[in-house]
Amino acid sequence: MNSDSKKRIIVAGFGGQGVLFLGTTLSEAAIIEGKNTTWIPSYGAEMRGGSANCFVTISNGEIPSPIFDEADYGIFLSRAATDKFENTVAKGGLAVINSSMTGRKNLRSDIECIMEPLSDLAARSKEKMLLNIMALGILIKKTGILSKESVIKALEKVSSAKKPEFLKFNIQSFEAGYNLQKSTPNKVLEKIGC
């Protein structure tokens, strides 16, 4: 795993899951903290329902290239994404995985895997929970690569540019994911109105 201040994150899923929005939010939060960042999106021609991924680099120093073969952290929102990108996470790295759509239990033993049923949690919430932003909350809580406050400011900025009506749901979803690691899923579901 990358030992300097540079952190590389791959976010992958399918079109419509908010993969690119999550990556944009990460980069915006890095900018708010005065860090350097790059964001490279990639998606299938069919967009919604097709594959979508993005590569984000966050660094205190210069970023010589936005392209990388090995990530420190991965967020995988679908089985296809997990199957395709699991091996790009460096040994000793971390993967946040949407277990609702993975259907696998035999993941690599040389990385830390946080498996959460994000699709199920989002579907069961009374409010409109967003699984991508829940995953972002988990990543930020676990790694501390960016501050909670910076991510919320980034959500405010990115949401207002894309879909301002989703800001409330984005913040609620981020808080739910952020708090998921210190509570049982049922306690979190009670907090988010399930």
Side-chain angles (χ1 to χ4, degrees):
M1 188 166 76
N2 192 11
S3 60
D4 62 17
S5 66
K6 190 180 299 153
K7 296 299 175 198
R8 299 174 178 99
I9 306 108
I10 183 163
V11 184
F14 55 77
Q17 286 186 308
V19 168
L20 304 184
F21 182 88
L22 194 165
T24 302
T25 302
L26 271 171
S27 285
E28 189 60 44
I31 291 167
I32 288 168
E33 291 191 10
K35 298 183 180 192
N36 295 321
T37 186
T38 59
W39 173 77
I40 303 292
S42 175
Y43 43 84
E46 64 276 7
M47 291 286 286
R48 187 168 292 277
S51 65
N53 61 75
C54 63
F55 295 80
V56 178
T57 304
I58 297 170
S59 178
N60 291 325
E62 290 184 11
I63 302 172
S65 173
I67 298 171
F68 53 84
D69 294 325
E70 192 172 68
D72 300 290
Y73 311 121
I75 295 178
F76 307 129
L77 301 179
S78 70
R79 172 148 189 178
T82 305
D83 291 346
K84 183 173 182 180
F85 292 107
E86 172 185 358
N87 289 325
T88 64
V89 178
K91 183 177 179 179
L94 169 75
V96 177
I97 299 169
N98 178 13
S99 63
S100 299
M101 300 191 84
T102 307
R104 290 177 51 199
K105 295 191 189 324
N106 58 334
L107 298 173
R108 288 172 48 197
S109 60
D110 62 343
I111 63 174
E112 182 178 357
C113 293
I114 298 176
M115 307 273 293
E116 293 290 352
L118 299 173
S119 295
D120 294 338
L121 291 173
R124 288 169 49 196
S125 64
K126 289 180 184 168
E127 296 288 341
K128 186 172 183 142
M129 288 290 132
L130 306 167
L131 68 100
N132 61 329
I133 304 303
M134 289 173 75
L136 176 60
I138 293 169
L139 179 75
I140 296 303
K141 174 70 174 203
K142 183 67 180 173
T143 65
I145 57 170
L146 297 163
S147 74
K148 179 180 178 181
E149 295 74 24
S150 297
V151 174
I152 289 173
K153 285 180 186 172
L155 282 169
E156 290 169 351
K157 183 171 182 179
V158 176
S159 290
S160 66
K162 294 274 186 185
K163 293 186 176 180
E165 67 275 15
F166 278 83
L167 176 58
K168 171 186 168 187
F169 306 123
N170 278 317
I171 292 174
Q172 287 175 340
S173 300
F174 177 75
E175 292 281 358
Y178 191 87
N179 293 320
L180 195 58
Q181 290 301 290
K182 65 182 181 184
S183 305
T184 63
N186 287 338
K187 293 285 184 198
V188 171
L189 285 171
E190 287 171 16
K191 286 180 189 174
I192 62 176
C194 292

